[in-house]
C-alpha cells in the first residue's frame, strides 16, 4: 500500500470517527432538550430556561456538524470511485 492510500485511509477513519462522535453528541443534546421540555410541561419551576436553550443550541450545532460529516464521507466515497476509473 503506498503512502497516498495510507493517508486516505487515515483521513477516512478520522472523518468517520468525528462524524459518529457528532451523531452521539447530537443524540445526547436532543435527549436533554426533549427531557427538559417534558419536565417543563409538568413542573415549570424546575427547568432552567437558559440550560434548555443551551441544549437546543448544542443539538442544532451537532446536527449540522453530523450532516457535514456525512456529506464529507459521501464526497470521499465519490472521489474514490472517480479515481478508480
Amino acid at each position: 500500500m503506498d503512502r497516498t492510500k495510507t493517508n486516505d485511509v487515515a483521513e477516512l477513519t478520522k472523518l468517520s470517527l468525528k462524524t459518529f462522535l457528532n451523531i452521539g453528541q447530537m443524540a445526547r443534546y436532543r435527549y436533554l432538550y426533549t427531557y427538559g421540555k417534558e419536565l417543563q410541561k409538568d413542573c415549570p419551576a424546575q427547568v432552567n430556561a437558559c440550560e434548555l436553550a443551551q441544549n437546543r443550541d448544542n443539538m442544532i450545532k451537532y446536527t449540522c456538524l453530523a450532516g457535514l460529516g456525512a456529506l464529507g464521507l459521501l464526497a470521499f466515497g465519490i472521489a474514490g470511485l472517480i479515481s478508480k476509473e
Side-chain angles (χ1 to χ4, degrees):
M1 193 186 295
D2 65 354
R3 188 154 179 81
T4 305
K5 287 190 181 210
T6 302
N7 287 342
D8 287 349
V9 170
E11 287 297 318
L12 181 60
T13 301
K14 191 166 65 169
L15 181 59
S16 297
L17 290 174
K18 284 182 182 180
T19 301
F20 287 125
L21 175 66
N22 288 331
I23 290 170
Q25 290 288 70
M26 175 192 67
R28 172 183 174 223
Y29 285 111
R30 184 174 302 276
Y31 169 77
L32 290 173
Y33 177 69
T34 304
Y35 179 72
K37 289 295 269 187
E38 290 298 317
L39 190 60
Q40 191 177 38
K41 288 179 189 175
D42 296 337
C43 189
Q46 288 185 350
V47 177
N48 182 353
C50 182
E51 185 178 336
L52 192 61
Q54 205 171 26
N55 287 336
R56 183 197 66 230
D57 292 344
N58 282 330
M59 176 185 67
I60 292 169
K61 176 178 91 173
Y62 285 110
T63 300
C64 292
L65 289 173
L68 288 173
L71 286 174
L73 289 171
L74 181 65
F76 207 100
I78 290 171
L81 288 174
I82 291 172
S83 71
K84 284 186 178 182
E85 289 180 353

